[in-house]
Amino acid sequence: MRRSAEHGRGLGRSFAIRAAAAVLVAVTAGCGAAQPGSSTGPVPADAGSAGEVAVSEADLQKTVDQALSTGDVAASTLPPLMRDALARASHPLTSAQIDKAYECWKATSCTLGDGPLTLAQADPFGGNTWRQFTKMNVILQALTHPEIGRYVYTDANLDLATYQANLRTLTAQGADVIVTINEFGPAAYAALTAAQRQGVVVTTYLGAMDDAPPTAYTTRVQYDLCATGRAMAETARKATATPGPVAYFDGLAGNPQDAKVKSCVADTGAETSFTEATDYTAAGTQRAASALIASGKPATAILYSYANTVPSIVNAYREAGKEVPAIISLTQSNAAVCQRAEHPYPLYLTNSANWAARISVDAGVRAAGGAKVADSVVFPLPFFEVTDSDCDTSKPAEYPGPALVPDALTAKMLAAR
């Protein structure tokens, strides 16, 4: 059951009326005449959903280009909830908000304001930089919503039973909205459904939820998995001189996201000669690459979903004295990009999409206030060819690329890792 004002936990009818009547983010032409109630100038991020938040089309497009690491996607073509979330992300934060965000990011719970909502983030795994930049995106987006008073974070450390228990705990502790990435597939559906049955709004980001029952979530936010699989296969064909089979490295064994992408790679007619799980670790990725080399099976390209450990693939090939094949991977990693600058080979990546969780936050807040929201937001995630100029020597290896986190916060986060 989706949350309504009548069975919201302590929200009260006044919040429901205020949230339901909130004006959606207005995207205005930067040089046109101002409309009543709108603004063409900067609006503080803490204007929140209780008031109109305006941004020029030019500023929004700049944020979209940064979010997708390419200038090939027009903001006007994006799903409305994505446009709204990125419009909120376009406004600069005050120094006080940056300090608050950093303190909250270091903690497992914090007070963001005096609003009635408790926002929780149930992370299946929080132990790498990608996860921590995603956590920061959740916090930054929460700061734009005055309805959110408290933020709570849990980390299941890749354990299903812990993840299920965390969902139960967050529900018992009074979470109104839970944002999460579901990496356990159908095994997590019952726990997600139970949370919603208790009146919690569950919104997901990036995990494969195409086949999940509608009881398990209110809004799912993800890229088009099949389009990604097709794009991977097409990119592999472009990146290699001669056609041939590809290898596919899973993240976690049985990950439904990888399963869906692989099936859509196969639908293009591409042959997958080798598959191995990496556990998203450097050691696991090097082990998978070494196993591929030892198998003797041909692979003109390696398709993968986590750029942070791509250097381990390259290391395995170099240690074996083999030419590195083309690598087409989701997410972005300064280590992979800079390694490629030193030892060139065909490398294609996407933006890390940490910002996708921002859309989940917006959807959850609106739904908790009684507003009707889309049950899915499917966004584009284009690949780009890495060049030498993409290496940022001022950033450490684990930097995930443009993540819509202000430079001041990025520096503090990376220094703390």
Side-chain angles (χ1 to χ4, degrees):
M1 177 181 294
R2 297 190 178 183
R3 194 175 188 86
S4 68
E6 284 69 30
H7 50 287
R9 192 179 288 107
L11 299 186
R13 184 168 297 275
S14 62
F15 166 68
I17 293 173
R18 174 165 61 91
V23 182
L24 299 183
V25 175
V27 180
T28 62
C31 51
Q35 300 299 312
S38 69
S39 169
T40 56
V43 176
D46 60 2
S49 58
E52 185 175 90
V53 178
V55 62
S56 72
E57 281 285 355
D59 285 344
L60 175 58
Q61 187 63 57
K62 182 178 178 180
T63 302
V64 170
D65 293 348
Q66 183 183 16
L68 297 178
S69 293
T70 176
D72 297 335
V73 179
S76 60
T77 66
L78 299 177
L81 273 173
M82 181 177 178
R83 280 170 55 88
D84 293 346
L86 295 185
R88 285 178 176 274
S90 299
H91 293 293
L93 298 176
T94 66
S95 58
Q97 287 174 316
I98 289 177
D99 290 343
K100 170 67 74 174
Y102 183 66
E103 291 304 313
C104 190
W105 174 76
K106 292 193 299 182
T108 55
S109 66
C110 67
T111 299
L112 291 175
D114 56 6
L117 280 181
T118 293
L119 170 70
Q121 182 178 3
D123 201 338
F125 174 67
N128 62 40
T129 305
W130 186 92
R131 306 296 175 138
Q132 291 303 304
F133 270 84
T134 301
K135 178 182 180 182
M136 180 58 83
N137 269 270
V138 170
I139 294 167
L140 293 175
Q141 199 74 0
L143 281 170
T144 74
H145 289 281
E147 299 92 339
I148 297 175
R150 185 166 173 255
Y151 168 78
V152 183
Y153 176 84
T154 61
D155 176 4
N157 198 30
L158 292 178
D159 183 73
L160 172 61
T162 302
Y163 180 71
Q164 293 167 325
N166 287 345
L167 289 171
R168 291 192 296 269
T169 298
L170 291 171
T171 300
Q173 290 178 344
D176 299 289
V177 178
I178 294 176
V179 296
T180 185
I181 175 172
N182 174 24
E183 292 173 299
F184 299 107
Y189 292 166
L192 296 171
T193 296
Q196 291 224 131
R197 190 178 295 122
Q198 294 297 313
V200 181
V201 173
V202 174
T203 59
T204 66
Y205 55 91
L206 293 179
M209 293 287 287
D210 305 64
D211 303 321
T215 54
Y217 65 95
T218 294
T219 300
R220 61 178 174 88
V221 177
Q222 63 185 67
Y223 53 89
D224 188 320
L225 298 176
C226 236
T228 298
R230 292 191 295 268
M232 276 184 155
E234 178 60 27
T235 302
R237 282 191 286 269
K238 290 180 179 178
T240 54
T242 56
V246 299
Y248 193 101
F249 286 1
D250 293 290
L252 302 176
N255 186 331
Q257 178 174 298
D258 281 319
K260 182 72 171 180
V261 172
K262 276 192 295 187
S263 71
C264 295
V265 168
D267 288 344
T268 69
E271 177 190 352
T272 300
S273 62
F274 182 90
T275 297
E276 186 77 21
T278 68
D279 293 328
Y280 292 128
T281 65
T285 304
Q286 184 145 356
R287 185 170 57 248
S290 297
L292 170 59
I293 295 168
S295 74
K297 294 180 179 178
T300 59
I302 295 174
L303 314 186
Y304 190 32
S305 59
Y306 186 50
N308 278 38
T309 59
V310 161
S312 294
I313 301 175
V314 177
N315 291 340
Y317 273 85
R318 294 187 66 215
E319 288 173 8
K322 303 287 186 180
E323 182 179 353
V324 181
I327 299 177
I328 296 93
S329 179
L330 297 176
T331 75
Q332 194 169 340
S333 157
N334 204 43
V337 168
C338 292
Q339 183 195 50
R340 182 235 158 258
E342 293 180 5
H343 307 285
Y345 68 93
L347 176 63
Y348 294 78
L349 302 175
T350 70
N351 182 270
S352 293
N354 307 93
W355 45 264
R358 289 177 178 260
I359 309 172
S360 297
V361 172
D362 284 5
V365 170
R366 293 179 186 182
K372 182 175 176 57
V373 294
D375 63 0
S376 67
V377 179
V378 180
F379 59 84
L381 195 60
F383 289 91
F384 66 92
E385 184 174 7
V386 172
T387 64
D388 292 354
S389 62
D390 292 313
C391 173
D392 187 347
T393 56
S394 69
K395 300 287 196 306
E398 63 269 25
Y399 177 60
L404 301 190
V405 175
D407 289 342
L409 267 178
T410 295
K412 294 177 73 173
M413 291 172 66
L414 292 174
R417 292 292 294 164

